[in-house]
Amino acid sequence: MSHDFLGVPDTTALVFAAFSLAALVTAWIGVVTGAAGGLILLGLLAMVYPPSVMVPIHTFVQLGSGGSRVVIMWRYVMRGTLLPFGIGAALGAAAGAQIFVALPTAILQGILGLFMLLVTWMPNMGRVGTEGKRFAILGVGAAFIGIFVSATGVLVAPFVASASPDRRNHAATLAALMSMVHIFKLIAFGVLGFAVWAYAPLIIVMIVAATAGNWLGGYTLDRMKERDFRLIFKLLLTVLACRLVWVAAAKLGWLG
């Protein structure tokens, strides 16, 4: 079996097919649960590719996936959040490579995990201040932390949940906001140095698969009860936040 299927370096046909399926499933998970799809996909990519390849592939696929979700669910996007968040994300990405460079990733992960728990279980924290100011600050934080901790949708999700009147507003708006983060991350990473054309067949097929996953997720979401969505979202985000805190504590040697 070729180890460069369709010219993609170090990728067999089996791996190619597995990641295509993973893109579909994680996109569906992302819509139905309101979080975690991107994080799961990142973990799967990390099993095969080094960070220098994994992060750009993940970012391109998540941008394509998020963009298709926005197109499919555009009528549910809370448009008032877009401009302030976008301005904040641009500033956060620009600052990410220059500020707090010496701050250990473990500390950032721990802070992120604790913050997620607070906003998830104390929802009024996600409504402090005007919506414009709140999402501008959130944009700065998401793009800035995204330079160090790649999958930051879990940070944005609780704030979107607090502002969303409906589960479909949550899924559509989160996709729109994270698409902006991914665009600014690609610029900040200087991905021009990444051999994107070598991985283009895999990226394109994964984006197509993720689009199908988004459509299936939207279909599922229409048939879910709002109460069930909110419960699944809170429980999943709590597990992810606790895992971040645990990993951070382990890296810092606090667990013995």
Side-chain angles (χ1 to χ4, degrees):
M1 183 180 292
S2 171
H3 289 286
D4 293 334
F5 183 69
L6 296 181
V8 180
D10 303 316
T11 304
T12 65
L14 182 60
V15 169
F16 192 102
F19 280 135
S20 301
L21 179 60
L24 186 152
V25 174
T26 55
W28 178 83
I29 291 172
V31 176
V32 173
T33 65
L39 196 60
I40 294 171
L41 184 60
L42 185 68
L44 293 173
L45 287 167
M47 296 172 65
V48 175
Y49 299 116
S52 59
V53 172
M54 169 192 72
V55 172
I57 289 177
H58 179 263
T59 305
F60 273 115
V61 172
Q62 288 301 104
L63 175 58
S65 174
S68 67
R69 189 180 306 172
V70 171
V71 171
I72 293 170
M73 305 182 72
W74 173 248
R75 66 186 182 277
Y76 294 110
V77 174
M78 296 185 293
R79 296 170 181 77
T81 65
L82 300 182
L83 181 60
F85 185 91
I87 294 172
L91 295 174
Q98 303 176 41
I99 304 175
F100 290 168
V101 173
L103 191 63
T105 300
I107 293 179
L108 286 169
Q109 288 177 318
I111 293 172
L112 178 59
L114 291 172
F115 197 62
M116 285 165 54
L117 287 172
L118 286 173
V119 177
T120 300
W121 293 101
M122 298 178 65
N124 286 336
M125 281 192 64
R127 303 189 187 102
V128 174
T130 64
E131 183 176 274
K133 290 181 180 178
R134 186 164 68 244
F135 276 89
I137 294 171
L138 182 60
V140 173
F144 176 82
I145 295 175
I147 300 298
F148 307 95
V149 185
S150 185
T152 52
V154 290
L155 168 63
V156 180
F159 287 90
V160 177
S162 295
S164 299
D166 182 88
R167 60 197 179 281
R168 286 158 289 213
N169 296 121
H170 174 99
T173 304
L174 181 61
L177 299 184
M178 289 310 299
S179 293
M180 286 190 279
V181 170
H182 292 312
I183 289 171
F184 290 122
K185 275 172 58 183
L186 287 175
I187 295 171
F189 284 148
V191 175
L192 291 177
F194 172 65
V196 62
W197 293 114
Y199 294 88
L202 176 62
I203 291 172
I204 291 170
V205 172
M206 287 180 71
I207 289 174
V208 172
T211 300
N214 285 330
W215 184 85
L216 290 171
Y219 181 85
T220 305
L221 207 60
D222 285 338
R223 283 150 184 78
M224 284 183 74
K225 294 180 180 178
E226 188 72 24
R227 181 186 61 186
D228 294 341
F229 173 82
R230 298 286 177 175
L231 178 60
I232 292 170
F233 172 76
K234 280 191 171 185
L235 292 177
L236 182 59
L237 219 58
T238 299
V239 170
L240 293 172
C242 289
R243 179 185 175 276
L244 275 175
V245 174
W246 178 272
V247 169
K251 286 182 178 178
L252 293 170
W254 294 351
L255 300 180

